[in-house]
Amino acid sequence: MNKKAVQFPELVHTRYAYERLKQCVRCGAYSSLGLETCLSCEAEHSLRPVTDIARTVLRNGKLRDALLLGASGLAGFVFARSVLQMSVSLAVSLLLVGVYVWLCKRYAQERERHTLLELLKQESAQVRDGMLLDAENAAGDLKSEDELAAYLKLREIGHFLKGDQIKLLKIYCLNRFILRRDMDLELGTLIPEAFDPDFVRYVNEICKVKPELVRRDMLDYARKYRGDIEALAIGPQTMAQLAGAALRVKEYVVQYPDLIADHVGALSRDRLLRLCRLLQDIPASRRSARLYDKAMDEAERMYGNDAEFEPILGKDANFT
Amino acid sequence: MNFTLKRSRRYVRAALILFVILLLLSAWKSYYARSKMTAYAHAAELQAQGRQLEAEDAYMRVQSMRAFDYKERETAAALSALRPLTELYRTAAQISADIEAARSVGDVPTLVKAAEQWSQMKQAAAGQDEKTRSAFAQSEAEYKPDQRLSDAFAQVKKSLTAGLESWTAGKNAGDGDRMLAYLVQIPASYYPNEKTKTAELNRLGQKYGQARLNAVLNGTALAETLGESDKLLQLYAAYRLDSAWISGKLEPFIQNVLSGQLDKNDVKGFLGNVRLLQEHPAVVKPGSKTEAYVRTSIQKLLSRARQLADARKFQDAVELYSLLGSYQNTEKEVLETEQRWMETDPARLLGKAAGEDRDFSYMTSVKAKWGAKAVAAGLAENKTLILARLLQDGSVSKTEVEVGKGVTVTSIQLNDSIGGNASPVLLLEAASKNRKSRYLVYEALPQELRLLLDLEADSYTLVRKGAVQFDNPAGEGPGSKVAYEYRDGGLRQAQQTQQPPQQPQAPSQQSYRLVTVEDLPNSKAENVRFECDIVTVDGSNALGESDNQYVLLTGSGNGAKANWKRGNALITGMYTGTEQMKIGSQTVNVYRVQVLEVHYP
């Protein structure tokens, strides 16, 4: 398969997924793709971020409430029988409106957040429908073999639809790209529920360019489907790479000793050295003896005479 | 699609619309409140300037603005304070308007009402405070009701006076009454004085009344005159005008009418008018000349009725009494006349007994016999023999019997000599083929007429009381005489004799024929016997009456000096002719009879 060299646009990181969501002000359809045209009603430039929408809704609500308060005051004014009553009704009306405005200002953020959450809660079905519409759009890109556009869209959609369908589509796209270290790649968000060979292929590539993406969830997936992975052609390699990637975090050595131990022989010198050093740092009560033994044995066997290994091999007799 | 943003926009719009509406309403309310405040200030200013009427209107406008309360108590207080004053003005204005309107159409009642109202207002205002008196003075100066009233009454008075003075018969009496009424209603203060008013009203009233009466006094119909007089009297009484002249004008006319009727002998008309007079006691008062004239005339009529009765003109007498009954109770007179009539006229008695529409012939009657005041007999429709009794109590009894076919009656006599004393006997003479006459004798019992004898003979002779002899009766030898006598309740044959027995007490042995008074002219030169009532005795002569026919009886018979007695009598004598005699006020034909014998039952 010929892979494409692509350039990912800079991924905008947002704190919350909803910050990536937009709603069409005409038809109310949701989208995360940031297109110029609404996929539902085909209105131009009608998509607004939901935060803006929520602000607008909040503003409308404030206006409505203020108008109602004002109207109630005016009603009191209309039905007032005397000047005093009229004055009182006006004054109370103004006071109410003023208090209300002050309260709105005071709790603006909370209200905004609350409005947004309520909006999303009330329109969660519409959001899902919007994402499905986006997914259809992305599928259209795939059909027209524009994997990059499809992946970018799927990447956006993936923030909302966490199912394997989107993940697998993304994996499919990613496997069509030449991955580079400078690309804004993902791994944890792509881990499927079940074993998928394409995902393993992708992991294989990721371990080469961005091993730091391998985290606990990936290691759990590798441990779970170790047999299936190793059954693949690139399985052992992938597992060895995952073992090497796991050495980045000392805790992983403690938590995934078998995974690492079975691929000690495939580790590079630097990796083995690191492993030995980590093992020495970890108290014997916490470390896996098997892993320790294997690592030492491997180090002894391969780098017995290496000066950098000497302290590791020599220190052990004194560490209890 | 209904999504949150869209919904929020909708709510805002709705709230905005509501707000705008209420804002507009508030603007209106503000304007309204301001208007009321301005109106109140304006009303207060008017009140301060003393323009009460305008101030009141302004305050009422303020009060009518009920959507907003502003100075409500002050407004009510101001209106309460202003009302009496403005009421004065309004009333004065209303009175003036009423005066002008009434003046233009001559409406006196309205003028009078306005005058009263103004007078009451004056009196009321006099007792009020300074403010009220001042307001009253202002309204008086502005509207001048006194002057208006004075002018209006003067104008109306002039017009009404002219109207009454020129009132003639052709005009509507309602108008005249109304004009007079109006003049009466005008208060005396609008005349020089009360006395002048009274004199003026009396003068006009009399002029008007005379014009009305003159219209009706031309004819002879009293009803119209009396009606008109009554109306005038009522009118005068209502207005306390002098009405004494009316009787002086009416009485000659009334008497003229009445006397004219009496002259024409139109008693009915006269009495009708008398009744009319009685129905108008106001016109013909008790003690007036007319009343005296009427009384006198009635007495004369009563006297005439008595004379008619005396003259045996019972029908006329009863009619006159009946007519007079409409004036006074003449039942007694009518009853007495009827009785006398029945006593003397068999046709009347028979008519009362058997029906006045029956056709009677061969009537005869006897007075004061057989326990009855009168007894009459006659033949009804040529076939029924009827006997009527006028009993002592005034009632009438009747008995009848069919005489039978083939009986052609030629005369009927009532006889007390043939039968018993208790009951009368009827002797019928009828045509006979075999003899000169057929004789049927009936006994008149209380409940029936019983046939005693039916035979044919040439003549009969009363032998004595209860016995009769028939000459040459059928079935006997020629020239025979058969006597019958009443015994055992019937006529029984006595011995047949050749000659009738001599009865010293029997009436004259000369033969006579039983007749009625009516038949006398047909009985010349023969002795006849008839029954009549002696009504008048004059020396040796007497006047008898039967069936309204008078008989002059000369000589008392029996060869003795006259010893006539009034009452029923059986006369035997000879008709000597007819002469005329004045009886009562009438001259009548009288049969003259030379009397041979008189027999009183």
Side-chain angles (χ1 to χ4, degrees), chain A residues 23 25-28 53 56-57 60 63-64 67 70-71 74-75 77-83 86 119 122-123, chain B residues 1 3-5 7-9 11-12 15-16 18-19 22-23 25-26 29-30 33 37 66-70:
Chain A
Q23 188 184 25
V25 295
R26 291 275 184 89
C27 65
I53 297 289
T56 305
V57 168
N60 287 346
L63 187 57
R64 177 203 64 208
L67 285 173
L74 289 176
F77 184 87
V78 168
F79 290 108
R81 298 290 307 173
S82 63
V83 173
M86 287 159 82
L119 174 70
Q122 284 168 13
E123 297 191 356
Chain B
M1 191 189 289
F3 52 98
T4 304
L5 179 63
R7 269 203 311 276
S8 72
R9 284 184 194 141
Y11 292 154
V12 167
L16 187 63
L18 179 66
F19 182 82
L22 286 167
L23 190 65
L25 285 174
S26 300
K29 184 66 179 277
S30 302
M37 290 178 194
R66 297 195 184 282
F68 181 67
D69 293 342
Y70 178 71

Side-chain angles (χ1 to χ4, degrees), chain A residues 27-320:
Chain A
C27 65
Y30 284 90
S31 176
S32 59
L33 301 182
L35 300 174
E36 293 292 321
T37 307
C38 173
L39 291 175
S40 176
C41 65
E42 296 176 9
E44 296 277 339
H45 307 294
S46 64
L47 289 163
R48 299 275 182 277
V50 290
T51 48
D52 285 354
I53 297 289
R55 262 196 290 276
T56 305
V57 168
L58 179 62
R59 191 175 60 245
N60 287 346
K62 281 193 274 189
L63 187 57
R64 177 203 64 208
D65 295 340
L67 285 173
L68 286 176
L69 283 172
S72 64
L74 289 176
F77 184 87
V78 168
F79 290 108
R81 298 290 307 173
S82 63
V83 173
L84 177 64
Q85 288 177 10
M86 287 159 82
S87 308
V88 165
S89 64
L90 269 182
V92 167
S93 169
L94 286 170
L95 181 67
L96 279 174
V97 170
V99 167
Y100 181 72
V101 166
W102 177 77
L103 284 172
C104 285
K105 277 190 180 155
R106 169 80 172 78
Y107 296 102
Q109 276 188 354
E110 289 83 352
R111 288 202 68 194
E112 203 173 305
R113 197 179 308 127
H114 178 261
T115 304
L116 177 62
L117 288 176
E118 281 300 311
L119 174 70
L120 290 174
K121 203 188 294 183
Q122 284 168 13
E123 297 191 356
S124 58
Q126 285 92 323
V127 170
R128 182 180 163 73
D129 292 341
M131 295 304 104
L132 289 175
L133 207 58
D134 287 348
E136 277 179 30
N137 188 266
D141 288 338
L142 272 179
K143 280 184 187 162
S144 54
E145 296 181 3
D146 187 355
E147 288 85 359
L148 177 60
Y151 171 71
L152 292 174
K153 287 178 185 174
L154 287 168
R155 192 168 65 174
E156 288 299 329
I157 294 166
H159 284 101
F160 302 100
L161 296 180
K162 305 285 186 190
D164 278 4
Q165 201 173 9
I166 300 297
K167 289 177 184 175
L168 292 176
L169 285 172
K170 283 201 286 187
I171 291 167
Y172 175 85
C173 293
L174 285 166
N175 282 337
R176 296 289 181 280
F177 304 142
I178 298 169
L179 301 181
R180 301 187 304 276
R181 187 173 179 75
D182 64 332
M183 292 168 90
D184 201 343
L185 298 170
E186 56 181 322
L187 180 60
T189 54
L190 292 175
I191 301 175
E193 291 294 324
F195 172 75
D196 185 77
D198 287 335
F199 175 66
V200 173
R201 268 193 282 279
Y202 173 73
V203 168
N204 188 45
E205 294 299 319
I206 282 293
C207 288
K208 290 174 187 172
V209 296
K210 263 192 167 177
E212 61 271 23
L213 292 179
V214 175
R215 297 203 172 90
R216 197 190 304 279
D217 47 5
M218 184 62 235
L219 294 171
D220 287 337
Y221 181 84
R223 186 162 62 184
K224 189 176 174 183
Y225 296 104
R226 182 175 172 177
D228 295 315
I229 294 170
E230 287 178 349
L232 294 174
I234 56 166
Q237 183 192 5
T238 305
M239 289 304 292
Q241 286 178 356
L242 282 173
L247 296 178
R248 287 175 47 254
V249 177
K250 186 161 83 174
E251 196 58 31
Y252 293 161
V253 175
V254 174
Q255 289 175 357
Y256 303 98
D258 293 331
L259 190 74
I260 299 170
D262 289 342
H263 298 91
V264 164
L267 291 174
S268 65
R269 177 183 174 276
D270 290 329
R271 293 284 94 199
L272 183 60
L273 179 63
R274 177 163 171 80
L275 177 60
C276 293
R277 284 179 177 163
L278 286 176
L279 284 171
Q280 282 188 332
D281 283 337
I282 296 168
S285 60
R286 292 189 71 231
R287 69 189 178 205
S288 167
R290 178 170 171 265
L291 176 62
Y292 182 82
D293 290 343
K294 277 195 92 172
M296 290 305 160
D297 289 345
E298 186 66 21
E300 179 68 35
R301 190 174 67 82
M302 292 293 294
Y303 305 103
N305 297 321
D306 194 318
E308 286 190 287
F309 279 92
E310 202 174 291
I312 295 165
L313 292 170
K315 276 188 180 175
D316 182 62
N318 298 323
F319 191 86
T320 53

